[in-house]
Amino acid sequence: MPSPHLTIKELTEAVGHEVTPRMVRHYHQIGLLPVPERSPANYRLYSQADVQHLKRIIALKQQGFQLAHIQQILNAGPEAIAPDTLLNQLQQQYRSVMQQLGQLRQTASALESLLGHDHDCHDHRAEAIAHLQCLEVETQGNLTELERLWEQYDAETPNHPEAFQESLQRLLPDLSGRPEIEIDLLSKLVLACGDVSLVPFVRLSKDAIAAARTALQAGCPVVVDVPAIASALDQTRLAHLGCPIKTLIEDPHITSALEAEQAFWHQQYCQERLHHLPEQSICVVGYAPSVLMALCDRIEQQQCRPALVIGLPIGFSHAPAAKRRLMRSQIPYLTIQGAFGGGLLAAVALNAFADSLIEKPDCHCYLES
């Protein structure tokens, strides 16, 4: 009869996700996993309950929670998963994480100031690095030596257009395994928001590029949630492709996700238009999370089937939830994990697809990846 217990190796194999015995031992040390039984030969013995406990840890870790957060959540127990004390602790830790992100952002900005300069700025960059190596830091005064250095460095920047592509080559992560069209798309998204850290959070279904090109080539309707996105679309290229633009919420004064969300909920015609969505259209949602949520409802109920959904609404609870639902659907999609997004990025994404189709109609790099 097989033993009901598992060794540490069998435990990691049952959990998967590249969990190692070393990680398990570390979780024991910090109290995240309970101390296991021991065999007569002093081997750790685990049960199916330990497998499930470790799977919960890994699942929460994959969602971005740090080990300290996971320990607090699991120790609270299901009957007390959201008491005020736990929420307060998590809020404090969130503020601490944001403070760390702010410090890292400062580091990234300093590195971008050096790495982002193009070849024509090479001499000034070398001079700046030399100054940094022998920097004497002042503790008093309104202008430190470091601030004066950046001021001088900026003033000496040659009077020529910025070489964005050259900067991106130094700053973007390795994208050599991505199709040419996808690299172009990611580069344009980064240039639209100025944040290279966006790239790892962009989610593109395997069939998204092919679906976008096929639909645009057929002159599909483009449905946007608010007029601001329609204004940011390359209407000349879309007209050339024969793609009409339709708007769900026709209030030209909407300038925020809050206003778009309220309009969608309180103006019945907006939801009715979603019920009459043209078949094989490209839906571009960059403001209202509820628009994407309602669209996912209709997709799941097989009441509509867009050719592609660009889902980039902004929000801190509904938007991430709507994006997760979109990624679980069987519809080709482009989205960005979490709260990040916006109408400009959504429009830039569609413009990039249209541009690549017109400029390179015979490119099939996305089929070879």
Side-chain angles (χ1 to χ4, degrees), residues 174-280:
D174 182 13
L175 301 175
S176 56
R178 308 282 189 97
E180 179 184 347
I181 294 176
E182 185 176 345
I183 294 173
D184 177 69
L185 168 67
L186 294 172
S187 299
K188 288 176 177 175
L189 290 174
V190 167
L191 288 176
C193 66
D195 189 352
V196 180
S197 67
L198 171 79
V199 172
F201 299 97
V202 176
R203 294 291 178 265
L204 196 67
S205 65
K206 292 181 179 180
D207 53 352
I209 296 176
R213 290 172 70 87
T214 300
L216 290 170
Q217 184 71 60
C220 71
V222 175
V223 181
V224 302
D225 56 343
V226 299
I229 296 181
S231 299
L233 292 177
D234 189 335
Q235 301 193 27
T236 301
R237 280 188 167 86
L238 291 175
H240 172 76
L241 292 169
C243 298
I245 302 172
K246 301 180 181 296
T247 307
L248 290 175
I249 307 171
E250 288 187 340
D251 184 347
H253 302 294
I254 289 177
T255 58
S256 70
L258 171 62
E259 293 170 342
E261 188 79 349
Q262 293 297 318
F264 181 72
W265 277 96
H266 294 115
Q267 298 179 20
Q268 186 64 32
Y269 80 91
C270 301
Q271 300 185 31
E272 291 175 355
R273 285 184 175 177
L274 195 60
H275 292 168
H276 298 90
L277 199 67
E279 286 298 315
Q280 292 301 301

Side-chain angles (χ1 to χ4, degrees), residues 57-235:
I57 293 172
I58 300 304
L60 290 169
K61 188 177 178 183
Q62 289 177 334
Q63 288 299 311
F65 288 99
Q66 295 183 0
L67 296 182
H69 307 156
I70 295 172
Q71 191 166 28
Q72 288 180 316
I73 291 171
L74 295 182
N75 288 348
E79 72 285 350
I81 194 63
D84 290 342
T85 53
L86 176 59
L87 290 179
N88 288 337
Q89 290 174 342
L90 293 177
Q91 187 177 34
Q92 291 174 3
Q93 291 186 358
Y94 171 77
R95 289 171 178 166
S96 175
V97 168
M98 293 306 295
Q99 184 177 15
Q100 294 173 41
L101 286 175
Q103 294 170 346
L104 289 172
R105 181 65 259 178
Q106 285 184 315
T107 301
S109 295
L111 292 171
E112 287 166 356
S113 295
L114 293 173
L115 297 174
H117 280 75
D118 52 44
H119 179 75
D120 291 333
C121 300
H122 175 77
D123 292 339
H124 299 298
R125 181 169 58 242
E127 184 180 350
I129 293 175
H131 276 90
L132 289 173
Q133 290 173 331
C134 59
L135 183 68
E136 294 183 6
V137 180
E138 298 180 15
T139 56
Q140 294 179 349
N142 295 327
L143 195 63
T144 66
E145 183 180 345
L146 182 58
E147 289 171 329
R148 284 197 297 270
L149 168 62
W150 290 125
E151 190 176 79
Q152 178 186 0
Y153 190 26
D154 294 339
E156 292 177 351
T157 300
N159 185 20
H160 68 277
E162 183 163 346
F164 288 106
Q165 292 303 321
E166 187 177 333
S167 299
L168 286 174
Q169 287 178 359
R170 293 193 185 92
L171 299 174
L172 285 174
D174 182 13
L175 301 175
S176 56
R178 308 282 189 97
E180 179 184 347
I181 294 176
E182 185 176 345
I183 294 173
D184 177 69
L185 168 67
L186 294 172
S187 299
K188 288 176 177 175
L189 290 174
V190 167
L191 288 176
C193 66
D195 189 352
V196 180
S197 67
L198 171 79
V199 172
F201 299 97
V202 176
R203 294 291 178 265
L204 196 67
S205 65
K206 292 181 179 180
D207 53 352
I209 296 176
R213 290 172 70 87
T214 300
L216 290 170
Q217 184 71 60
C220 71
V222 175
V223 181
V224 302
D225 56 343
V226 299
I229 296 181
S231 299
L233 292 177
D234 189 335
Q235 301 193 27

